[in-house]
Amino acid sequence: MSFDLVLFGGTGDLAWRKLMPALFQAFRHGSLPQDGRIVGVARDDLSDDQYRELIQSRFSAVEGAKRPSPEEFKKFASMLHYLRMDLSKPDDYAKLADLLKQRDASTVVMYVATAPALFTQVVEQIAAAGLNGPKTRIVLEKPLGHDLASNRAINAAVGKVLEEKQVFRIDHYLGKPSVQNLFAMRFGNALFEPIWRREHIANIQITIAEDLGVEKRGAFYDQTGALRDMVQNHALQLLCAIGMEPPINSHADAIRDEKLKVLRALKPWTPESLSLHAIRGQYTAGTAYGERVQGYRDEPGVDPDSRTETFVALRTEIANWRWAGVPFYIRTGKRLASRDARIEVNFRPTPHAIYRAPTGNVNKLVINLQPKDGLELHMLAQAQDNRQRTNGNQSAAAQLAPVQLDLDFDKRFGAERVGAYERLLLDVIDGRLNLFVRSDEQEEAWRWVEPLIDSWESDGGPRPYAAGTWGPSASSAMIARDGFAWGEEQ
Ligand code: BG6
């Protein structure tokens, strides 16, 4: 099998931080078809060799074992090519067409890793140059638009020139081994399904916390914010994986149909829920890794009066028979207390207590996504049997202690499993759509977040929180009103 992968934005941040390292890993693992070309496209005036040197220099930032040796890079580099293009010029697409015609590969992947504002233009020009034939697949990076209307416009433009099966909308969370484990846990085992419902589950918490700030992406982030950057896509995809019905098979559309139903069943926002169940925050100066760090508004590229949120906490419900009444809490943010992505499934208490009531939550299943990847089942066990004498009678007062079954997938399967981008890039080359987002799913997710975007335009702005904490206290207050607490507070 032969492929050509055209990387629009070939000198950009995503290309060198994620895509090139992932392509190199796939090459090293022998999973990248050898008969392939990777063509970086950008405006800079570079030869193939200069492009290879640029990519090689950037590999120096890649962690130890993942960095290629000079010999390995030389072999990998023979796949790398470069084409200078001005994406607004039709003639430049004709040059691309000539390059692709040189060898007529069996699959042509167009990876659009440019600013989202260019997506429509690039897709239309690709078609105008006759490059939208059946062997073409297009990969679109998030964010796809900045609201429902712009998302629809992009999807409509793409839909005019390509079939849906040629479109790979990427959400790299779906490529993470830990997220695939979530599907495997639910749909590969009979154990959890009977209790995976409102009768047994009190609440579900999805946390995607980052300890880093906005780093060098201040200007982009300030136009985007946590809701568009993380909630509309990654967090809602996790919510779908937790809440969806078992699909009838593992085909892409069977999975996507079920995810779509979850998104459609999310409770619509009301003025009351917007004020009580949607908290946003923005970090101020604080401490990270034991050092003083600056606040968001002082980050390079950020407006000093910015109202952009760097933290979001939401409460929602999936209004269907399985989940009615069960709160789903979503929380994500930058500069939080630790890098920690997890889903906590909190079970209801025993219907009748014969032990002295233990404090806190007794049974919960924690699905750790990162940094560690695994499952923890929290329960009570008898720690010791204390024989106590009370009034001369002997009674057995059981001492129950919280224990946990801890399954560490990194230890079990090795921490060096196929990374998210590596997995997804190979899926595109092989034409597997299971881990990509369909246009209707994406539009539904935008539809659900849009009332938040609108209401935040005119409210008092995000609440401040100090860097290195778990966000504004209103986030804890929100969940406490339901009688629950975030995992780290239990
Ligand atoms: C990206 C966001 O989609 O996901 C970033 O744009 C965020 O802001 C990143 O840092 C988080 O991904 P991961 O894989 O590091 O959890």
Side-chain angles (χ1 to χ4, degrees):
M1 179 206 162
S2 58
F3 75 92
D4 276 339
L5 191 156
V6 181
L7 187 49
F8 295 94
T11 54
D13 188 60
L14 189 78
W16 70 266
R17 255 185 340 114
K18 301 276 191 195
L19 303 179
M20 283 296 172
L23 287 164
F24 172 69
Q25 286 305 319
F27 170 82
R28 183 187 253 177
H29 293 149
S31 32
L32 197 62
Q34 295 291 306
D35 189 7
R37 279 193 309 188
I38 300 165
V39 183
V41 166
R43 294 175 78 109
D44 316 60
D45 191 8
L46 299 173
S47 65
D48 283 354
D49 280 340
Q50 284 169 324
Y51 185 59
R52 290 171 187 148
E53 275 164 31
L54 181 76
I55 297 297
Q56 186 170 25
S57 70
R58 286 176 168 176
F59 264 109
S60 57
V62 170
E63 318 144 37
K66 292 194 172 160
R67 195 182 306 156
S69 66
E71 297 74 46
E72 277 179 314
F73 186 80
K74 206 168 160 205
K75 287 191 196 143
F76 174 63
S78 65
M79 298 177 90
L80 296 182
H81 300 266
Y82 182 77
L83 183 68
R84 181 186 185 188
M85 276 180 74
D86 176 340
L87 296 182
S88 64
K89 289 205 177 130
D91 285 356
D92 285 8
Y93 291 83
K95 281 197 296 185
L96 176 63
D98 288 344
L99 185 81
L100 295 176
K101 253 186 241 142
Q102 277 170 11
R103 51 180 233 129
D104 201 23
S106 51
T107 299
V108 177
V109 176
M110 307 275 189
Y111 199 121
V112 192
T114 62
L118 297 176
F119 286 174
T120 306
Q121 186 185 55
V122 171
V123 170
E124 284 169 357
Q125 296 279 4
I126 285 173
L131 294 175
N132 57 335
K135 60 186 189 174
T136 295
R137 293 175 191 147
I138 193 152
V139 187
L140 296 171
E141 260 296 332
K142 63 160 267 287
L144 218 62
H146 56 273
D147 57 11
L148 179 60
S150 52
N151 177 256
R152 275 190 173 153
I154 296 172
N155 282 334
V158 174
K160 262 194 205 146
V161 297
L162 292 160
E163 287 182 46
E164 181 66 29
K165 66 174 192 237
Q166 296 176 278
V167 186
F168 291 70
R169 292 179 196 78
I170 213 159
D171 182 315
H172 79 279
Y173 264 61
L174 291 178
K176 287 181 187 272
S178 52
V179 177
Q180 281 152 60
N181 261 327
L182 178 55
F183 286 103
M185 181 200 80
R186 282 202 60 201
F187 305 130
N189 298 285
L191 183 63
F192 297 107
E193 192 48 29
I195 53 170
W196 212 252
R197 53 188 62 252
R198 63 192 301 281
E199 289 81 1
H200 301 284
I201 292 179
N203 71 84
I204 292 185
Q205 303 178 10
I206 298 171
T207 295
I208 312 178
E210 296 184 84
D211 51 1
L212 292 175
V214 290
E215 298 190 286
K216 293 185 184 129
R217 296 161 74 227
F220 159 79
Y221 193 88
D222 209 30
Q223 300 298 316
T224 311
L227 186 71
R228 292 180 172 100
D229 190 41
M230 299 294 288
V231 176
Q232 187 275 339
N233 32 71
H234 306 324
L236 285 184
Q237 286 293 329
L238 294 182
L239 183 138
C240 287
I242 282 286
M244 69 195 262
E245 295 300 316
I248 52 168
N249 57 38
S250 61
H251 296 164
D253 278 334
I255 296 169
R256 301 187 308 176
D257 286 346
E258 296 306 333
K259 288 195 289 167
L260 177 63
K261 285 186 205 160
V262 172
L263 294 166
R264 285 191 174 146
L266 287 178
K267 261 199 161 171
W269 292 101
T270 61
E272 195 197 4
S273 63
L274 282 169
S275 79
L276 290 175
H277 298 152
I279 309 294
R280 63 179 178 147
Q282 189 186 70
Y283 64 84
T284 56
T287 309
Y289 316 109
E291 281 179 19
R292 198 82 194 138
V293 292
Q294 63 192 356
Y296 175 69
R297 291 180 180 187
D298 296 321
E299 299 277 16
V302 172
D303 177 351
D305 298 320
S306 172
R307 285 166 51 90
T308 300
E309 77 286 354
T310 60
F311 174 92
V312 174
L314 304 175
R315 177 203 192 278
T316 188
E317 288 177 29
I318 301 175
N320 64 14
W321 278 45
R322 185 189 284 269
W323 294 117
V326 177
F328 281 73
Y329 303 102
I330 293 175
R331 175 176 59 158
T332 184
K334 302 258 182 213
R335 281 279 187 241
L336 296 183
S338 60
R339 177 168 186 256
D340 187 0
R342 69 188 128 92
I343 300 171
E344 302 199 1
V345 180
N346 291 297
F347 292 97
R348 291 188 188 280
T350 52
H352 168 68
I354 62 164
Y355 296 108
R356 232 176 299 133
T359 54
N361 194 13
V362 173
N363 290 146
K364 72 172 167 180
L365 178 69
V366 182
I367 302 154
N368 286 310
L369 304 176
Q370 63 191 30
K372 72 176 192 178
D373 171 9
L375 293 179
E376 291 165 19
L377 186 59
H378 293 235
M379 46 199 278
L380 285 184
Q382 175 142 345
Q384 58 192 122
D385 187 9
N386 270 356
R387 305 238 154 229
Q388 292 177 342
R389 280 183 186 282
T390 37
N391 300 331
N393 292 324
Q394 202 182 50
S395 71
Q399 297 276 302
L400 297 188
V403 289
Q404 85 198 39
L405 296 172
D406 200 343
L407 179 56
D408 182 334
F409 290 125
D410 289 337
K411 270 200 199 131
R412 177 69 182 77
F413 299 119
E416 288 304 313
R417 277 170 291 152
V418 173
Y421 271 100
E422 178 180 353
R423 167 73 203 251
L424 295 173
L425 281 161
L426 291 171
D427 280 356
V428 180
I429 293 170
D430 293 343
R432 269 192 304 271
L433 276 158
N434 300 31
L435 300 177
F436 295 84
V437 182
R438 209 168 52 192
S439 63
D440 49 4
E441 269 181 89
Q442 204 172 47
E443 287 179 18
E444 203 54 50
W446 275 114
R447 194 193 318 280
W448 187 73
V449 299
E450 204 159 61
L452 294 162
I453 299 177
D454 292 345
S455 81
W456 288 351
E457 255 162 32
S458 53
D459 71 356
R463 298 162 197 261
Y465 63 95
T469 65
W470 281 103
S473 57
S475 144
S476 303
M478 175 184 80
I479 189 165
R481 277 198 298 274
D482 291 340
F484 303 125
W486 292 112
E488 75 282 354
E489 294 169 347
Q490 286 167 9

